[in-house]
Amino acid sequence: MITRSALIWMSRHEGFKDFATRFQFFKKLTTRFVAGDTIDEVVPIIREINAENSTASFDHLNESVQSLAEADNEVAEYLNILAKIDEQRIRSNVSIKLTQFGLGIDPELAYRNARKVVEEAHRRGNFVRVDMEDSSVTQATIDIFKRLRAEFDLNTVGIVLQSYLYRTLADAEELVKLPARIRICKGAYNEPPEVAFPDKKDVDANYVKVMQLLLASGVYHGIATHDPKMIDATIDFATREGIGKEKYEFQMLYGVRRDLQKQLARDGFNMRVYVPYGKHWYPYFMRRLAERPANIWFVMKNLAKG
Ligand SMILES: Cc1cc2nc3c(=O)[nH]c(=O)nc-3n(C[C@H](O)[C@H](O)[C@H](O)COP(=O)(O)OP(=O)(O)OC[C@H]3O[C@@H](n4cnc5c(N)ncnc54)[C@H](O)[C@@H]3O)c2cc1C
């Protein structure tokens, strides 16, 4: 049986990536998790999400870019997304990755590029979420986020923290003081036991601790999970503390637990769906398989059906 770490390792392997992305055949498998190739293909999907009483977050798939030109293209793509959201009157914000804007080339470049997108979001009254990547860039991501947050208000830019990292509770304590809008998730990369809890039960226990800290802070945060245990713990805590449903939102990924997404929205909870698109789908898709290796069978079954 193929393991989570093997799939995450494959997600970073250039050889596998080149092989998989060369064939249309593999791309067809991704449609459950990847909404399309272009912004225009995503718009009707987000319209449907909005019609189900949920909001969205656009994510243009790309990470670890290696050239200034590629990073520039990413900025241009996000400026187009922000314009499209207004033009089409859909309810969506955007999620970005700093390695997509050149963090691996030069942190200053990533800051400048991210700033262009955040500035445009600010001008349009929209919001940019800075996704969190692997632990080699956690500190750099937080540092750039803090610079952006010092220049732009609470409702223009936010960040993500991952409950599998030992450092996250301390990061959350520090960032809520800014204050900052935080998305808490469990974390999707392969991390060594020096930096991350190896046991799922500790990741979950830390998630609950951070979630409680966030909700109690009074700021509007994102509780990103498909795990019914985490969702119940959030609702229980909020009910106990008298924190209204409008004070936070649940967030889930496009294609994952759609039943639960709809149910929570029907029950009056704020629900945001993270909607990725674009041709650089490979690492994102592999991380989704890694979260639930049973997805491989789902994908194979669809393939067999043609
Ligand atoms: C909106 C959003 C944004 C995210 N942003 C980031 C980020 O910036 N950085 C980062 O490292 N990670 C990010 N993640 C991914 C996250 O870290 C987890 O890897 C992912 O959400 C799985 O964790 P879980 O909380 O759903 O719990 P798990 O314990 O992994 O899963 C709980 C249950 O959810 C269902 N499930 C979970 N994943 C899948 C899947 N792929 N396919 C089918 N069913 C599934 C299964 O029923 C599973 O039993 C994000 C997740 C969400 C929802």
Side-chain angles (χ1 to χ4, degrees):
M1 181 64 179
I2 190 151
T3 63
R4 175 180 185 276
S5 8
L7 286 162
I8 294 186
W9 176 80
M10 283 167 72
S11 78
R12 311 205 89 149
H13 193 287
E14 286 300 312
F16 284 119
K17 181 175 105 185
D18 288 347
F19 180 77
T21 49
R22 207 168 314 134
F23 296 101
Q24 197 56 22
F25 156 81
F26 283 108
K27 170 137 190 293
K28 270 178 32 203
L29 307 180
T30 65
T31 51
R32 171 174 166 190
F33 300 111
V34 179
D37 273 350
T38 64
I39 302 176
D40 286 333
E41 286 173 54
V42 180
V43 168
I45 290 173
I46 292 191
R47 223 184 268 298
E48 233 174 85
I49 289 168
N50 288 169
E52 285 163 4
N53 243 346
S54 300
T55 53
S57 192
F58 260 98
D59 169 46
H60 184 239
L61 294 169
N62 205 353
E63 47 199 91
S64 310
V65 308
Q66 301 296 339
S67 75
L68 299 189
E70 208 183 344
D72 280 350
N73 288 342
E74 292 303 317
V75 173
E77 184 76 13
Y78 272 96
L79 300 184
N80 285 339
I81 298 174
L82 288 165
K84 189 64 86 173
I85 291 170
D86 282 355
E87 182 196 298
Q88 295 291 323
R89 298 168 187 267
I90 47 180
R91 288 184 292 135
S92 182
N93 62 28
V94 298
S95 293
I96 62 172
K97 288 189 172 50
L98 292 181
T99 67
Q100 170 171 43
F101 288 154
L103 186 60
I105 305 168
D106 174 13
E108 210 44 42
L109 171 74
Y111 160 71
R112 283 199 307 273
N113 283 336
R115 192 184 183 290
K116 289 179 195 159
V117 177
V118 174
E119 191 174 35
E120 179 66 0
H122 182 251
R123 195 179 72 75
R124 292 179 176 279
N126 209 325
F127 177 79
V128 177
R129 177 77 64 182
V130 181
D131 283 353
M132 188 56 81
E133 301 176 69
D134 70 71
S135 63
S136 69
V137 294
T138 307
Q139 192 57 50
T141 304
I142 291 177
D143 291 344
I144 291 176
F145 166 71
K146 280 189 186 157
R147 285 174 73 184
L148 294 167
R149 178 64 190 90
E151 291 175 78
F152 297 95
D153 63 284
L154 176 68
N155 291 320
T156 300
V157 62
I159 192 169
V160 179
L161 294 176
Q162 302 149 319
S163 73
Y164 64 15
L165 295 185
Y166 301 132
R167 58 175 289 166
T168 286
L169 188 57
D171 287 335
E173 280 165 352
E174 189 197 337
L175 289 168
V176 290
K177 287 191 198 130
L178 290 179
R181 280 173 59 175
I182 296 170
R183 171 200 296 153
I184 182 67
C185 65
K186 290 190 187 179
Y189 299 82
N190 255 352
E191 298 293 356
E194 292 74 36
V195 300
F197 296 104
D199 288 340
K200 185 171 161 40
K201 69 172 180 0
D202 297 321
V203 176
D204 290 358
N206 201 37
Y207 190 102
V208 172
K209 268 191 215 156
V210 177
M211 172 277 288
Q212 293 185 345
L213 175 89
L214 298 186
L215 256 54
S217 74
V219 171
Y220 189 85
H221 298 290
I223 309 300
T225 183
H226 316 95
D227 185 344
K229 288 202 298 304
M230 300 300 109
I231 292 166
D232 289 348
T234 304
I235 297 172
D236 287 351
F237 180 75
T239 309
R240 224 169 39 239
E241 298 296 312
I243 298 165
K245 288 174 175 172
E246 73 290 353
K247 302 277 193 212
Y248 61 95
E249 66 185 26
F250 286 112
Q251 301 183 348
M252 294 191 199
L253 301 177
Y254 175 73
V256 180
R257 292 302 312 263
R258 277 188 53 89
D259 54 335
L260 197 50
Q261 293 177 14
K262 287 189 190 168
Q263 187 58 54
L264 286 167
R266 270 201 301 269
D267 292 346
F269 291 98
N270 290 334
M271 166 59 60
R272 187 176 300 277
V273 183
Y274 182 100
V275 187
Y277 76 98
K279 61 182 184 347
H280 299 289
W281 49 264
Y282 179 79
Y284 178 87
F285 176 67
M286 294 303 284
R287 289 197 295 274
R288 300 297 76 83
L289 294 187
E291 276 153 9
R292 193 163 170 267
N295 282 340
I296 295 175
W297 298 114
F298 169 87
V299 156
M300 290 304 184
K301 258 193 342 231
N302 279 6
L303 187 66
K305 279 190 215 147

